[in-house]
Amino acid sequence: MSQSDPSVRSSPAGWWPTDELQIVVRAVDAGDTFLTFRPLVPGQPVMSHRIRQGALTPLIAELAAALPDPMPGEVIGSGHIRRALHGALTERTSERALSEALGSLIIPPPVWQHVSMSRRPVRLRITPSARLATVPWELLTIPGGKRLLELATLAFELPPTIHYRRPRRPDRTCIDHSLPPLRTIDPVVPPQTPFLRATIEAGRELVTRRLGVDCATYITREDLGRALRAHPPRWLYFGHVSVPEPGIPGTAGLHLSDPGVGGVTPFGGTGRWYPLGHRALTVVDLLVGTLEPSWFTADRPPADPGLAGVDIWPMPPRVALIACNSGADHTATEPLGLVAATQLLGAEFVTATRWSVPTDAAFGTLRAYHDRLPTTEAVLAVDAAHEANDPIAALRTWQLGQLDEWQRTGDLGVTPLLFAALTTHHAPAREADGRDPAWPPFADEGPS
């Protein structure tokens, strides 16, 4: 790059980003994986990149072995979590090696140079492909150099179709500012389910002390609906999410305290039955509501008959879903999971996790680690970030602190297994045709 940085040229149209260099990153799998990196700068060319499947597959397999999600052939239980707690993301040397290998493969040298030499702050707007869905972009490393998180703010996006006929756009005008944030932290799930508490006693005490929230609460989908219809400023959920069919994030369900009959379907239309003993709040529930589709049965009655999901669970502009695979939308070619559902119902910022998150109890019992409450501390960090003007930047500041301590000490309490699991998806209000309201109706140049 020349000394004259094209990223600082003025915008003739008047609406190109001027306070930061934004680069739109899009990925697609078509045999190999193809990426485009488009700087939102007038006249700046799109940089394209091809990743050979044969080169990417072994690295993705190595990453999968380091994550807490079950691998093919593994029985769901503590074994895969123990594997991850002794894996590549919990040891500094192996983590750095994996991050450098992924960074060299996924991001081409011209992009690394463009990002590292920009005189303005850099923001990457990333839409991963299914093959790259679990890649911790924050950790990607220039060989022998800095992490991507140190060079740029990372915002994730669903495909632009999220804006098409969106049932509810983000609406700050309806917020009741006299209400506190809605925090649904470790709701009690019916005892006949396989889910243990997401927090241990010390974690519940810390949450109560810091936030004034009682974790030992029963909250059903009806309770959640009433609370959301009061229009709180934001919503934080910390508990359990299950995806009964891996790779199909539309099967995801968020677990509250709803009772039910053993053998109810956790996802409308799946055909697979699980003796969970209660009804999860699924992606289909959130989108369809209780408009009486064909999969409702006598043992799965609707909560409020005849209402669309957006009328039952309207989302505030800021939502955090801290639970296993709550942000797994991109694992499907057509992303549709809990992130998409909450954004379609009105959320602008959604912080979620791209893989399973070990609990504080898992850290203590599977790795003999007792010094901190890493998972609870991560939840509190997300809660604090969502109070900031820019929750993405605020969460990045916390992640940079975690990264710095990790690189200095290797303390398991700041393992990337936790802080790099967090992503924030951004979907601001758009016009009906997908345009930003600030864009002119006609312009010579414009972002795709």
Side-chain angles (χ1 to χ4, degrees), residues 400-425:
L400 284 170
Q402 300 288 104
L403 175 62
D404 177 68
E405 186 174 351
W406 165 250
Q407 294 182 140
R408 286 187 296 103
T409 69
D411 189 330
L412 188 63
V414 289
T415 170
L417 200 62
L418 277 176
F419 76 79
L422 297 168
T423 64
T424 301
H425 283 73

Side-chain angles (χ1 to χ4, degrees), residues 31 36 47 68 72 78 148-149 159 173 176 204-205 218 256 263 267 294 300-301 311 319 331 364 372 401 419 428:
T36 58
M47 293 172 279
S78 62
L148 190 58
L149 181 66
T173 63
D176 186 344
R204 294 193 287 272
E205 291 174 354
Y218 289 83
L256 300 169
F267 166 71
S294 59
R300 186 178 168 81
D311 298 318
V319 172
T331 57
R372 305 169 81 152
F419 76 79

Side-chain angles (χ1 to χ4, degrees), residues 2-5 7-8 21 114-122:
S2 66
Q3 293 299 314
S4 177
D5 187 347
S7 67
V8 299
L21 170 61
H114 202 70
V115 169
S116 60
M117 294 184 66
S118 175
R119 297 205 298 268
R120 287 184 293 165
V122 179

Side-chain angles (χ1 to χ4, degrees), residues 102-441:
L102 287 168
S104 298
L105 191 63
I106 293 173
I107 300 182
V111 175
W112 277 120
Q113 184 183 35
H114 202 70
V115 169
S116 60
M117 294 184 66
S118 175
R119 297 205 298 268
R120 287 184 293 165
V122 179
R123 180 176 296 245
L124 300 186
R125 296 167 46 184
I126 304 169
T127 301
S129 66
R131 200 171 288 151
L132 302 180
T134 58
V135 167
W137 291 72
E138 297 78 4
L139 300 179
L140 298 184
T141 308
I142 302 176
K146 290 188 176 182
R147 312 281 188 149
L148 190 58
L149 181 66
E150 296 174 292
L151 298 172
T153 298
L154 308 183
F156 291 83
E157 297 181 351
L158 293 169
T161 49
I162 192 73
H163 301 287
Y164 180 67
R165 294 186 177 179
R166 195 173 181 179
R168 185 171 185 268
R169 295 190 295 173
D171 184 5
R172 296 184 180 90
T173 63
C174 70
I175 292 175
D176 186 344
H177 292 283
S178 67
L179 294 176
L182 175 60
R183 298 181 176 103
T184 309
I185 298 182
D186 199 10
V188 176
V189 180
Q192 64 269 40
T193 70
F195 299 107
L196 302 175
R197 298 300 300 272
T199 57
I200 60 177
E201 183 176 357
R204 294 193 287 272
E205 291 174 354
L206 178 61
V207 168
T208 300
R209 186 167 64 252
R210 292 271 294 274
L211 302 180
V213 175
D214 181 7
C215 299
T217 57
Y218 289 83
I219 180 169
T220 65
R221 61 183 62 201
E222 290 92 337
D223 297 329
L224 178 63
R226 281 192 294 270
L228 290 172
R229 290 194 296 271
H231 300 296
R234 58 185 180 85
W235 176 39
L236 169 73
Y237 172 86
F238 173 48
H240 293 289
V241 162
S242 62
V243 185
E245 300 181 50
I248 307 179
T251 64
L254 184 149
H255 296 279
L256 300 169
S257 306
D258 295 281
V261 179
V264 300
T265 51
F267 166 71
T270 181
R272 295 181 62 180
W273 291 69
Y274 294 87
L276 296 180
H278 87 125
R279 296 163 57 207
L281 180 60
T282 67
V283 171
V284 168
D285 288 328
L286 290 169
L287 295 178
V288 177
T290 56
L291 295 179
E292 300 183 7
S294 59
W295 54 75
F296 283 125
T297 61
D299 63 354
R300 186 178 168 81
D304 296 301
L307 294 178
V310 69
D311 298 318
I312 305 173
W313 302 287
M315 295 293 160
R318 300 183 179 195
V319 172
L321 304 174
I322 312 304
C324 292
N325 291 294
S326 57
D329 294 56
H330 296 285
T331 57
T333 303
E334 296 291 339
L336 177 63
L338 289 170
V339 172
T342 52
Q343 289 190 331
L344 288 169
L345 270 56
E348 177 179 357
F349 296 95
V350 180
T351 298
T353 66
R354 51 165 67 99
W355 57 66
S356 295
V357 176
T359 63
D360 292 329
F363 276 94
T365 59
L366 302 181
R367 181 71 186 263
Y369 180 82
H370 304 281
D371 294 340
R372 305 169 81 152
L373 299 168
T375 308
T376 301
E377 290 171 2
V379 173
L380 293 172
V382 172
D383 184 83
H386 275 232
E387 283 290 320
N389 290 332
D390 184 346
I392 295 176
L395 187 60
R396 174 181 181 249
T397 298
W398 176 77
Q399 289 176 312
L400 284 170
Q402 300 288 104
L403 175 62
D404 177 68
E405 186 174 351
W406 165 250
Q407 294 182 140
R408 286 187 296 103
T409 69
D411 189 330
L412 188 63
V414 289
T415 170
L417 200 62
L418 277 176
F419 76 79
L422 297 168
T423 64
T424 301
H425 283 73
H426 189 210
R430 292 283 188 257
E431 301 293 352
D433 61 1
R435 290 184 299 111
D436 186 312
W439 293 355

